[in-house]
Amino acid sequence: MANLEDWIIEQGLRGADVGSLLSGFTERLVAEGLPLVRVYLALPTVNPTIRVYTHVWTRSAGLMVEGVSHERNARAFDRSPFNHMMQTEQTRCYWLIDDPAAPQFDVFDDVRRQGGTDYLARLFSFENESAPDLRGIGLSFSSDRPDGFRPEEVERIDSLLPLLGLAAYRMTLFDLTVAMLDTYVGLSAGRRVLSGEIRRGFGTTITAALLFADLRGFTSLADTAGMDLIARLDQHLEAMADPVAEQGGEVLKFMGDGILAAFPITDERSREQACAAAIRAARTALERNVAVNALHAGEPPLSLDVALHCGDVFYGNIGAAGRLDFTVIGPAVNEVSRMEALCNSLDCSVIVSESVASASPVALRSLGRHRLRGIAAERELFTLDPVSVWTA
């Protein structure tokens, strides 16, 4: 087996990224004497924001990788060689781009700018019923030879593409797994699952500052509003979740119109730092929630209530044998949810427990001692001072 074939297999087994795979593959073909000036690889993906990843190698600039959103330039594909091939049920095409008989595509202008003279296009179908949106892979190759690729060069490329496609597919499936875990489970929890923490009941006890946030009035609004309310809810949830990530925390769960988030205390982040991060995230979330309400001025506003508490929680796999959730449970979680339920009766948007108040970097005002449902002893609760900053 030739060295390049061995190299592709090694990359596929090692799990290198697709960009490194393409650039290494191309540079080795150039070293063999192929006059490549541009190589393109497109991979559809299953991602909430990205429709396809494009990888473009050019002799002048090297590799560029770009994620194309679902909304951006949707008609560009309609004018591409790959759409033409799909519409005409072809998987192998080759054109000299200045041939008057060749169809003209927008991408040919890019090829000309790189000094290219031809366009060799190939489509490979993955045909995986369990991941139908991963339809396949599109590749193109362009040379700068006036009469284009020689037959033996096309044959060499074609002999390697099944291996290249298989390696890219393997990498894409792994990237898809990571992305889906990050999106639906969370960054920290996703990495724990991938590292093997998958058995039911398996986990660890951590100390963390907890943030519990919930929209006031959403349930009654949902009873009368239509499906447009889902788009608005996403905006409110984003207003809550983004500040958590910005402050180094993690959203553990979306619960209807609210979130549960944690700021773990570690060797790198002290209790004071975790509590301060939770307070900053709460303040920013409240400010952004006001901004979301302003976007819907003709609709009832939705106030945001936030509770902050600090304590020990169990962080791990919980659930049924065939359906697990990687989350936190424990008395501290129960307590922070009970605190949030008091926001309405205490007429404030933020309630802070004594465990967070003792580490707060900003002034707090005591709300007195209160009994929380299901908790025997009364708790002294606090809110941020001045309250007016938080109740817009």
Side-chain angles (χ1 to χ4, degrees), residues 253-267:
K253 189 181 291 294
F254 288 97
M255 299 170 294
D257 58 345
I259 67 169
L260 172 64
F263 300 79
I265 296 168
T266 65
D267 292 339

Side-chain angles (χ1 to χ4, degrees), residues 175-231:
D175 290 344
L176 171 62
T177 301
V178 173
M180 290 299 99
L181 283 171
D182 288 349
T183 300
Y184 287 97
V185 179
L187 182 61
S188 173
R191 295 302 187 269
R192 287 172 179 262
V193 170
L194 285 173
S195 68
E197 296 183 29
I198 56 176
R199 288 180 290 125
R200 183 169 57 168
F202 186 91
T204 186
T205 297
I206 65 170
T207 304
L210 302 175
L211 181 151
F212 191 99
D214 191 59
L215 288 172
R216 192 188 306 179
F218 179 80
T219 302
S220 59
L221 184 61
D223 290 338
T224 58
M227 291 302 294
D228 289 344
L229 186 61
I230 299 300

Side-chain angles (χ1 to χ4, degrees), residues 54-109:
T54 62
H55 306 72
V56 182
W57 178 95
T58 60
R59 184 189 295 170
S60 58
L63 180 73
M64 291 188 297
V65 181
E66 183 181 15
V68 180
S69 69
H70 292 277
E71 296 78 18
R72 203 197 77 185
N73 205 12
R75 292 185 57 82
F77 178 74
D78 296 339
R79 302 188 297 271
S80 73
F82 296 113
N83 183 55
H84 168 79
M85 293 169 69
M86 293 174 67
Q87 295 300 319
T88 56
E89 298 183 347
Q90 299 181 79
T91 59
R92 300 157 62 93
C93 283
Y94 179 66
W95 300 283
L96 291 170
I97 61 176
D98 288 330
D99 183 351
Q104 291 301 303
F105 304 103
D106 294 348
V107 70
F108 284 3
D109 292 333

Side-chain angles (χ1 to χ4, degrees), residues 211-363:
L211 181 151
F212 191 99
D214 191 59
L215 288 172
R216 192 188 306 179
F218 179 80
T219 302
S220 59
L221 184 61
D223 290 338
T224 58
M227 291 302 294
D228 289 344
L229 186 61
I230 299 300
R232 179 175 175 183
L233 176 60
D234 285 341
Q235 294 176 328
H236 285 284
L237 291 174
E238 193 170 76
M240 304 178 213
D242 285 356
V244 171
E246 291 162 10
Q247 293 298 328
E250 181 171 3
V251 174
L252 301 173
K253 189 181 291 294
F254 288 97
M255 299 170 294
D257 58 345
I259 67 169
L260 172 64
F263 300 79
I265 296 168
T266 65
D267 292 339
E268 293 75 30
R269 181 163 56 187
S270 68
R271 179 169 170 269
E272 289 74 15
Q273 290 171 326
C275 291
I279 290 172
R280 288 193 297 268
R283 179 170 189 170
T284 303
L286 286 159
E287 292 170 347
R288 293 184 185 176
N289 190 69
V290 170
V292 173
N293 281 325
L295 296 174
H296 302 273
E299 304 170 21
L302 295 174
S303 300
L304 180 61
D305 294 333
V306 182
L308 303 175
H309 184 42
C310 185
D312 294 337
V313 295
F314 175 79
Y315 186 39
N317 285 292
I318 301 162
R323 176 62 176 89
L324 295 173
D325 192 7
F326 208 106
T327 187
V328 295
I329 61 170
V333 177
N334 297 334
E335 190 159 336
V336 74
S337 67
R338 305 291 193 267
M339 289 166 52
E340 185 275 329
L342 292 179
C343 284
N344 191 17
S345 61
L346 294 178
D347 193 26
C348 59
S349 296
V350 179
I351 292 181
V352 181
S353 72
E354 189 172 3
S355 61
V356 174
S358 62
S360 174
V362 298

